[in-house]
Amino acid sequence: MTPPPNAPGTSAPARRLRADAQRNRDRILEAARETFKAHGADASLEEIARRAGVGIGTLYRHFPNRNALLDTMFRESIDALCAEASQVSDSTDPYGAFVAWLRAQLQHAMTYQALAASLMISELSDESPLNACGEQSACSALRATADAQLARAQAAGVVRSDVDADDVMRLVNAIALTSEDATDGCAAAERLFGLMVDGLRVAPPP
Amino acid sequence: MTPPPNAPGTSAPARRLRADAQRNRDRILEAARETFKAHGADASLEEIARRAGVGIGTLYRHFPNRNALLDTMFRESIDALCAEASQVSDSTDPYGAFVAWLRAQLQHAMTYQALAASLMISELSDESPLNACGEQSACSALRATADAQLARAQAAGVVRSDVDADDVMRLVNAIALTSEDATDGCAAAERLFGLMVDGLRVAPPP
DNA sequence: TACTATACGGAGGGTACCTCCGCTTGGCAA
DNA sequence: TTGCCAAGCGGAGGTACCCTCCGTATAGTA
């Protein structure tokens, strides 16, 4: 018999948590979301603990390091992104679907600013402390989705066949990364995104 | 009568330095180059001071903040980059010249890893603490060069006319930024660079 | 109600940032 | 040569952050 689901709170680790622990965990995640959004990826963990109203020791008990916290935060939003992708896959326009998904991913990357990128990077470079914190990483799920989306567009002959998902993901992250600090972040990103998409497309025959 | 040049050492600030001060300044810059290269843009300034054999106070006297130090370090290498550009401008192949210059810039950005990008970003977003540290910033010189290179290629009709230097610079920095931590940094960068260049080119008429 | 595995929280040791100010010294004028 | 002092040195010290450790508290069960 499977154990009962883990209370209304956010995603749960392997073992069932005590009620107070679950409550604190949720508070920490909420505080982390706010604080990271306000101060970037290297916001103070102590401030997060303060904001959550727990001791610093409690934060570290739940999340042994900064990346563990980030990883948990993103798993949810990335899940949403992947879900969106599988919806979009049912559409009949392969190129439009591909671009739409890319744009959603850009949006996501920009929202989470450098955080997503820093996770992505530490993962790609295989020194990933993330892999230590459980199951399949959020990042590889995203990768798999990107693979599928790209393969579909390539099979339909609308996207260059000599790029791989890695290239595309990096470009998107790159655009988010360099545009976010510009004075007109969104406009800059949109311009670069347009360039990228044009570059990826297979030109319709003359 | 112009004052005498400032000893054999590296670039000099407005007022003539005392001999010991100039010596320490050079040592600090040398230590900074090594340390930043080894530990990235957020290497410890105290370690730099230790390595240079000076007190931390001396480091701060010469460079009031981390960015001032970075800025000085890059000014030299960026000067070299600009010089290269003006050489290349004499070439007869506008597209080749443009791409060659872009590649040099990519090379530079990758060598200096995140450092260049972080300078670039804090400058573009106009909260630049850099502007406080003297004259025209290294970055705007680079920008001017980029403008010239791009204008030349566009005038020759080989590069899309709807991109500006900002776009191009961001793309290059973005590629360097996201590729450097990948397991195969150089190969990844080269692939993305190829994509970018293809995207920028005006296709020859069918 | 009593018991204990689980969880809490913050003191404490380490590192880094940056400032401040008393001491030292290079370079010039007499 | 000597004396002077502006320019420069350096490190103690206050603040902030990271992360660990361990004595105390309590949720959940028997």
Side-chain angles (χ1 to χ4, degrees):
Chain A
M1 222 178 265
T2 55
N6 204 334
T10 337
S11 62
R15 257 189 100 59
R16 166 85 191 240
L17 288 179
R18 232 167 65 173
D20 53 347
Q22 180 69 49
R23 198 185 326 121
N24 281 337
R25 190 169 189 280
D26 292 346
R27 279 189 194 156
I28 291 170
L29 278 174
E30 167 129 11
R33 260 186 290 267
E34 293 169 8
T35 310
F36 282 136
K37 203 160 261 182
H39 294 85
D42 42 0
S44 157
L45 298 186
E46 287 184 337
E47 181 179 336
I48 292 175
R50 267 195 302 276
R51 200 190 278 235
V54 305
I56 184 66
T58 301
L59 186 149
Y60 276 97
R61 151 171 294 267
H62 285 287
F63 304 98
N65 54 53
R66 177 181 239 91
N67 269 351
L69 187 50
L70 290 174
D71 189 55
T72 305
M73 279 178 51
F74 292 130
R75 193 178 302 272
E76 294 166 35
S77 75
I78 284 180
D79 284 350
L81 210 56
C82 294
E84 177 169 351
S86 56
Q87 273 194 333
V88 137
S89 287
D90 301 335
S91 124
T92 50
D93 167 18
Y95 184 73
F98 180 65
V99 171
W101 183 69
L102 277 189
R103 180 169 275 117
Q105 193 176 325
L106 176 65
Q107 189 59 50
H108 171 263
M110 291 199 66
T111 303
Y112 284 106
Q113 303 195 351
L115 313 197
S118 88
L119 275 178
M120 205 65 76
I121 282 169
S122 57
E123 184 124 355
L124 287 175
S125 62
D126 276 15
E127 24 159 277
S128 82
L130 294 183
N131 294 338
C133 57
E135 338 145 29
Q136 192 204 30
S137 86
C139 207
S140 27
L142 191 55
R143 253 300 272 299
T145 308
D147 276 334
Q149 290 289 315
L150 179 62
R152 185 161 167 274
Q154 285 173 331
V158 291
V159 163
R160 297 168 58 137
S161 57
D162 61 345
V163 299
D164 62 24
D166 242 20
D167 295 331
V168 176
M169 301 275 282
R170 280 213 189 88
L171 280 173
V172 169
N173 278 301
I175 290 174
L177 206 50
T178 51
S179 303
E180 73 200 9
D181 295 275
T183 38
D184 57 346
C186 281
E190 191 54 42
R191 289 173 61 83
L192 294 185
F193 185 79
L195 281 175
M196 177 186 87
V197 162
D198 282 1
L200 292 175
R201 178 167 213 167
V202 167
Chain B
M1 221 180 267
T2 54
N6 205 331
T10 335
S11 60
R15 259 191 97 60
R16 166 86 190 238
L17 287 179
R18 233 169 62 175
D20 53 346
Q22 180 68 49
R23 199 185 325 124
N24 282 336
R25 191 170 189 278
D26 291 346
R27 279 189 194 155
I28 291 169
L29 278 174
E30 167 130 9
R33 260 186 289 269
E34 293 168 7
T35 311
F36 282 137
K37 204 160 256 180
H39 294 85
D42 42 0
S44 159
L45 298 187
E46 288 184 336
E47 181 179 336
I48 292 175
R50 265 194 303 278
R51 200 190 278 235
V54 304
I56 184 67
T58 300
L59 187 149
Y60 276 98
R61 151 173 294 268
H62 285 287
F63 304 97
N65 55 52
R66 174 179 244 94
N67 269 351
L69 187 49
L70 290 175
D71 188 54
T72 305
M73 279 178 49
F74 292 132
R75 193 178 303 272
E76 293 167 34
S77 74
I78 283 179
D79 284 351
L81 209 56
C82 293
E84 178 168 351
S86 57
Q87 273 194 333
V88 136
S89 286
D90 301 334
S91 122
T92 50
D93 168 16
Y95 184 72
F98 180 65
V99 170
W101 182 69
L102 278 188
R103 179 169 276 118
Q105 192 176 326
L106 176 66
Q107 189 59 50
H108 171 264
M110 291 200 66
T111 303
Y112 283 105
Q113 303 196 353
L115 314 196
S118 88
L119 275 178
M120 206 65 78
I121 282 170
S122 56
E123 184 122 356
L124 287 175
S125 61
D126 277 16
E127 23 159 278
S128 82
L130 295 185
N131 294 338
C133 54
E135 335 145 31
Q136 191 204 30
S137 85
C139 206
S140 26
L142 190 56
R143 250 302 269 299
T145 309
D147 276 333
Q149 290 289 314
L150 179 62
R152 186 162 166 275
Q154 285 174 330
V158 292
V159 162
R160 300 169 56 138
S161 57
D162 61 344
V163 300
D164 62 25
D166 241 20
D167 296 331
V168 176
M169 302 276 281
R170 281 215 188 86
L171 280 173
V172 169
N173 278 301
I175 289 174
L177 205 51
T178 51
S179 303
E180 74 200 8
D181 294 274
T183 38
D184 58 345
C186 283
E190 192 52 41
R191 289 173 61 82
L192 294 185
F193 185 78
L195 281 175
M196 179 187 84
V197 162
D198 282 2
L200 292 175
R201 178 167 212 166
V202 167

